[in-house]
Amino acid sequence: MREVDVVGVRVEMPSSQPIVLLREVGGERYLPIWIGAAEASAIAFAQQGMEPPRPLTHDLFAETIRVLGHTLSQVRIVNLTDGVFEAILVFDDKTEISARPSDSIAIALRTGTPVFCAEEILAEAGIPVPESETDDADEVQEEEEVERFREFLDQVTPEDFDKS
């Protein structure tokens, strides 16, 4: 398993399909996952620290975990079959629950839980994006990374991930 960071959510054009982009920690692979609009909003809200006046479904689930005295210890993206990703929520008592990656990521962001991805999935569906060779400040590197991601998204299509 490799830890991944949630880079963000973007709408892929021209299909207007939202994707969440994950980046391998300490590596150069990115993993785009096509998701639903509601999950894209939930992930974006969590990344921006927005709190709705009433809890959304992912907020409710995170609060339920807390009130029941448990913690979510890991989110694992464990399978990719016919273009469909599968994840597992792993709790502090080792209980595992199958879930969609989009829901899992939205909950992980709300609970501060690390996200991991199976090496086989990164090898199969990960897109290598070389790191910047400059030694500029972190802010400049972050802007360059966002720009590289935008360029990548302008060129990638769902067909790029078709196994056939």
Side-chain angles (χ1 to χ4, degrees), residues 71-108:
T71 57
L72 183 60
S73 60
Q74 290 184 1
V75 165
R76 297 180 185 160
I77 300 170
V78 295
N79 198 15
L80 173 60
T81 305
D82 297 326
V84 177
F85 291 88
E86 297 173 30
I88 294 175
L89 301 173
V90 182
F91 294 88
D92 55 352
D93 65 356
K94 307 297 183 217
T95 299
E96 296 183 1
I97 298 175
S98 178
R100 297 184 304 183
S102 55
D103 290 326
S104 301
I105 291 166
I107 295 166

Side-chain angles (χ1 to χ4, degrees), residues 20-53:
V20 60
L21 186 71
L22 306 175
R23 188 181 118 254
E24 176 182 27
V25 172
E28 63 179 33
R29 293 178 289 188
Y30 286 76
L31 182 66
I33 300 177
W34 275 257
I35 61 175
E39 293 78 14
S41 294
I43 291 169
F45 284 174
Q47 282 195 304
Q48 296 167 8
M50 294 177 60
E51 292 188 30

